[in-house]
Every structure is written in structure tokens, then in C-alpha cells.
Amino acid sequence: MTAASLTYNMLNPMMRFIKKSTFSSFLLFFSAALALILANSPANAYTQWFLSQNIGFTIGSFTVEKSLLLWINDGLMSIFFFVVGLELKREIMAGELSVPKNVLMPIVGAVGGMLFPALIYIAINSGGSVEVMRGWGIPMATDIAFALGVLYLLGPKVPIQLKVFLTALAIIDDLGAVMIVALFYTSEISLVNLTIGAIILCMMFTLNKLGVRRVLIFALLGIGGVWLATLLSGVHATIAAVLAAFAIPADRRIDKTNYLNAISQLTTKFKTANKAKQEKYLLSNEEENIIGEIKRISKASISPLQRLERNMHGLVIFFVMPVFALANAGVVIDSNWMQMISSSVALGVGLGLVLGKILGIYGLAMLGLKLRWFGMPQGLNQAMLLGISCLAAIGFTMSLFINALAFNDPIYVEQAKMGILSASLISGTLGYFILKKTINNRNKNNSDQKNSEV
């Protein structure tokens, strides 16, 4: 395998994700704007009533009932985290995160981008109530869909390495967010339900090792077993989604060599098969059977992990995330909005996102370059890293998610939303203009250099 084909095989799954995420960002923009409009219109009362309606199910004496808002935050977002888990497993096995020299700089940046925002929030809110201090995790997150959406606005001249670096950074950031939710944003834990979930998860890993590849079996065990048991245990159910994703098989029943041999044989067989009388419209039974066999072995040549990741991306980016944004991004902006945005919670979240991400990602990246922990990725420069650090301060979806877990007092929830939305708008705009100027200057210099060579 040539170096070019190896690079293509490693980057192609990430590039498909990038393209889908950039398109979906516009839908997220729309959902966030609509949420703000609804929150500041007479429709707000009806929206809140609708989101507060209880939905559940009963099986014998077993009952689960939650409000629609909680089903969105616990249920729909579990789908989101399941896909995040699939992406993490794929990247660790065969993507950017599988190559140490490619992952060291994003890891350092991601760690700094989580640590500094939390420290800034804590510093601003030191001496506050216990509940206020629980908001330290809100500014630690990065919304990859919005960040990549801003990059998409810059057009096709954006270096591919810039998109790959931002994606790797955000994926590592997502892993950190999962750990934070698991460790710090859970309620009282039921060890019985947690044990049941752990046993079923072990069953999933065992079935994986035994060669079971039926997605339906893993879905039943993952949703009806691991996810439900975790939900009832008090640990946030999104953690179960990530763990279940890691149990999904990543190997294929048929490798590439056997697949190519089988396809070659079936193609030859199809050419010599008996033809139907109405060949223009119909296939013969033999031809149908051959095509059915091609479909079967084609499916078997793709791992369940890749099939699920591909099939569920559309659901997540075009439905789950927009619905979550619509349900959670609404902020009532009234005469007290200046008081809200200047509150310690809003300032801690806003400054934590903007300053914390820049200091953490750009600052530690520059320190690592100076100490020669790693080299500058090909095609990037310091100004681009600064712009990416700004885009990483777009917290939005993930920050709103942690906000919903951190606070019980609706006043703190609204204040944090103000900080999230303000920081995302400021950092997104700042990152856009920094990158636009840097990329334009680079392209101009490249053009001037080519002209001088001619």
C-alpha cells in the first residue's frame, strides 16, 4: 500500500464527518435562532408547557417517566454520545488518534482547552454557593459542528490539515466531556442497577469476541440493558451510550482480498447467467440471486461499527442536535439582561470559553512547540492555531448539555446560557476573521511566489 493510499484511508472517514458536520451547522444556527425567538415571544409559555409534559412507559410494576425535556437531554443526547463513541473507537483504531505524532499536539491543546476554562470559572466564582461552583464544567466543551461550520464559511481554500486538527481536537475534547459527566455530574448511584448494566456490557464485549455481528442483538442489549440500567442507576445515561459504542464490533466478516475475489467471480457468473425474457425491464431468477449474494458479501465486508457510524450520522446531525438546541438554547432576554450577562456565572462561563480556550489550546500548543514536544503540523502556522483556538471556544451544544446537568436553579441556567451564547458568538466571529485574514495572506503569498518563479 502506497503512502498516498494509506493517508486517504486514514483521512477519508474523518473527511466524510467534516462535510456532514459543516452542512448541519446551518441547521443548528437556525435551531438556536428559533429557540431564542420562541423564548422571547408569547409562544414561550406554550413551549415550556410542551417540554414539561411527562412521557414514560410501564411494564408490570416497572415504570419509567420523565419530562419531554429530560427525554431529549437523556435519550436523544445518548444517541449523540453513542455516535461520538463510535467515532472515538474508529479514530483510535485507524484514524488520526492512532498515530502518536499526529495526536500529541491535539491532546495537549485539548487538555489545556479543558483545564484553563475550568480554572477561570472557579477563579471568578470562588466564594460562591455550592451550586454556582458546579458550573465549572460548562466552559470546558467544544461544539465541533458549529466550529466546522465557521470553517466552511471560509470556503474551499481552508487547508485540509486545519480541519483535521480541529476535528481531532474536538474528538479528544468530547472524550474529556464524557469523563467529566461520568465523574462529576451524576446523582445518587444505585449499585444494583449499575452492576446489572456492567454485566450486560460485559456480555456485549463477549459477543463481540465470539464473532457475533448482528447489529440488532447489540442494539437490544445496549438500549434495553446497558442504557436503561445506567439511567436507573443515577449515572448519566450518555455514559452508557459511549461504553456501548466501544462494544460494537470493528472487524469485518470478509476481508478486502476475499471480497475482491468473490466479487470478481460473481461478476463473471452474472455475465453468463440466464437472461430474463424481458431483459430490458426484468432480471432472471439466477441474476437476482447473484445480485443478492453481492449485496450480502458487500454488507459483510463493512464492519458493524462503520455501518452504524455512517447510518446514524444523519440522524444525529440533522435531528438530534437541532432538536436539543431548540429545546435548550432559548434565553429570555428582558430588562434585566445586563444584570444576567454581568453575573459571576455568565462571566465565568463566557470568559472561561473565550480566554480559557485561547490560553489553553494556543498557549500550550506554543509551549509544546517551543519545548519541541511536537512539530507544527504541515500547512499550519501560529496564526491559524490562534484562529482554531477561538473556534474551539464555541461551546454551544456540549456546554448547554452540561449546563442542564450542573444547575437546578433556573436563574443560574439562564445566566450560563447567556455566557455560552455570548462567548460562542464572540469567539466564532473572532476566529472567522483571524483565519480569513491568515488564509488570504497565505494564498496571496503562494500566488506571488508562483508568479515570481514563472
Side-chain angles (χ1 to χ4, degrees):
M1 182 178 290
T2 65
S5 62
L6 180 62
T7 302
Y8 174 81
N9 290 333
M10 290 178 60
L11 294 184
N12 190 42
M14 184 173 284
M15 291 315 303
R16 289 200 306 268
F17 173 75
I18 287 170
K19 290 176 182 177
K20 285 187 176 182
S21 296
T22 52
F23 286 126
S24 69
S25 63
F26 293 104
L27 185 56
L28 268 178
F29 286 134
F30 174 78
S31 299
L34 182 58
L36 284 170
I37 292 170
L38 290 174
N40 294 277
S41 72
N44 186 45
Y46 299 100
T47 303
Q48 297 305 315
W49 172 85
F50 181 68
L51 292 173
S52 66
Q53 295 304 298
N54 286 334
I55 300 174
F57 60 89
T58 300
I59 302 175
S61 59
F62 177 75
T63 300
V64 175
E65 188 174 282
K66 291 178 176 288
S67 68
L68 177 59
L69 180 61
L70 287 178
W71 277 118
I72 291 172
N73 292 346
D74 289 359
L76 283 186
M77 286 304 284
S78 290
I79 299 175
F80 168 78
F81 275 94
F82 179 75
V83 175
V84 167
L86 294 175
E87 291 162 1
L88 282 169
K89 183 173 181 177
R90 186 249 303 155
E91 288 297 318
I92 290 169
M93 294 183 67
E96 282 293 297
L97 304 186
S98 67
V99 183
K101 70 174 184 178
N102 290 346
V103 76
L104 185 56
M105 190 175 187
I107 285 178
V108 171
V111 171
M114 289 185 285
L115 181 61
F116 278 75
L119 291 176
I120 289 175
Y121 181 92
I122 292 171
I124 291 175
N125 289 278
S126 60
S129 66
V130 174
E131 184 171 4
V132 166
M133 294 302 293
R134 279 177 55 84
W136 60 268
I138 299 171
M140 297 176 71
T142 293
D143 191 316
I144 186 173
F146 267 107
L148 285 171
V150 175
L151 273 186
Y152 180 76
L153 294 175
L154 293 167
K157 294 183 179 179
V158 175
I160 191 64
Q161 297 89 342
L162 201 62
K163 296 178 181 179
V164 170
F165 178 81
L166 177 59
T167 304
L169 181 76
I171 288 174
I172 297 166
D173 188 279
D174 282 342
L175 179 59
V178 168
M179 295 174 63
I180 289 166
V181 171
L183 296 174
F184 301 104
Y185 292 103
T186 58
S187 56
E188 294 183 5
I189 296 176
S190 167
L191 293 179
V192 174
N193 286 308
L194 198 60
T195 302
I196 293 172
I199 291 172
I200 298 174
L201 183 65
C202 289
M203 289 175 57
M204 293 177 67
F205 278 104
T206 302
L207 291 174
N208 183 345
K209 292 297 182 183
L210 292 175
V212 176
R213 295 296 176 268
R214 292 294 296 272
V215 172
L216 180 60
I217 295 175
F218 286 95
L220 291 174
L221 290 174
I223 299 171
V226 180
W227 180 82
L228 187 57
T230 306
L231 179 70
L232 297 174
S233 73
V235 175
H236 204 272
T238 52
I239 308 307
V242 176
L243 295 175
F246 273 82
I248 301 299
D251 55 337
R252 308 182 301 272
R253 286 180 177 175
I254 300 176
D255 61 24
K256 288 183 181 180
T257 302
N258 290 329
Y259 174 73
L260 290 173
N261 291 337
I263 288 294
S264 178
Q265 294 173 12
L266 288 169
T267 302
T268 302
K269 190 176 179 182
F270 186 81
K271 291 177 180 178
T272 59
N274 294 326
K275 308 298 180 184
K277 292 181 179 179
Q278 297 293 330
E279 186 178 350
K280 182 178 179 180
Y281 305 103
L282 303 173
L283 295 172
S284 67
N285 288 336
E286 185 178 2
E287 288 173 319
E288 280 191 88
N289 290 336
I290 293 171
I291 290 176
E293 182 65 10
I294 290 174
K295 289 175 65 177
R296 185 192 68 79
I297 66 171
S298 295
K299 182 178 180 180
S301 68
I302 302 174
S303 70
L305 182 144
Q306 288 179 297
R307 290 205 309 270
L308 276 173
E309 184 184 356
R310 180 189 62 209
N311 294 334
M312 294 184 70
H313 258 310
L315 174 65
V316 168
I317 63 181
F318 294 118
F319 178 72
V320 172
M321 292 177 68
V323 168
F324 176 84
L326 190 60
N328 289 275
V331 180
V332 178
I333 303 175
D334 53 22
S335 58
N336 294 324
W337 70 273
M338 279 296 294
Q339 184 178 351
M340 287 181 60
I341 204 169
S342 61
S343 66
S344 62
V345 170
L347 288 175
V349 170
L351 294 177
L353 278 168
V354 178
L355 294 181
K357 290 292 184 181
I358 293 174
L359 291 173
I361 298 173
Y362 180 75
L364 287 193
M366 289 300 101
L367 178 63
L369 287 169
K370 189 171 184 179
L371 296 177
R372 297 186 179 182
W373 295 343
F374 39 72
M376 178 71 75
Q378 185 179 4
L380 303 189
N381 56 39
Q382 292 187 18
M384 289 181 182
L385 288 179
L386 179 60
I388 284 295
S389 301
C390 293
L391 294 190
I394 303 176
F396 200 70
T397 305
M398 286 301 300
S399 292
L400 289 173
F401 175 69
I402 297 177
N403 180 34
L405 300 177
F407 299 129
N408 294 318
D409 191 327
I411 294 178
Y412 295 146
V413 172
E414 296 297 303
Q415 290 174 351
K417 285 183 182 179
M418 290 289 284
I420 293 167
L421 297 178
S422 300
S424 297
L425 178 62
I426 293 169
S427 57
T429 304
L430 188 61
Y432 172 82
F433 284 109
I434 290 174
L435 290 172
K436 182 179 181 180
K437 182 178 180 180
T438 305
I439 292 169
N440 287 342
N441 288 340
R442 174 182 143 164
N443 292 334
K444 183 178 181 298
N445 292 336
N446 290 341
S447 179
D448 292 342
Q449 184 178 357
K450 287 181 180 179
N451 292 334
S452 64
E453 290 175 356
V454 174

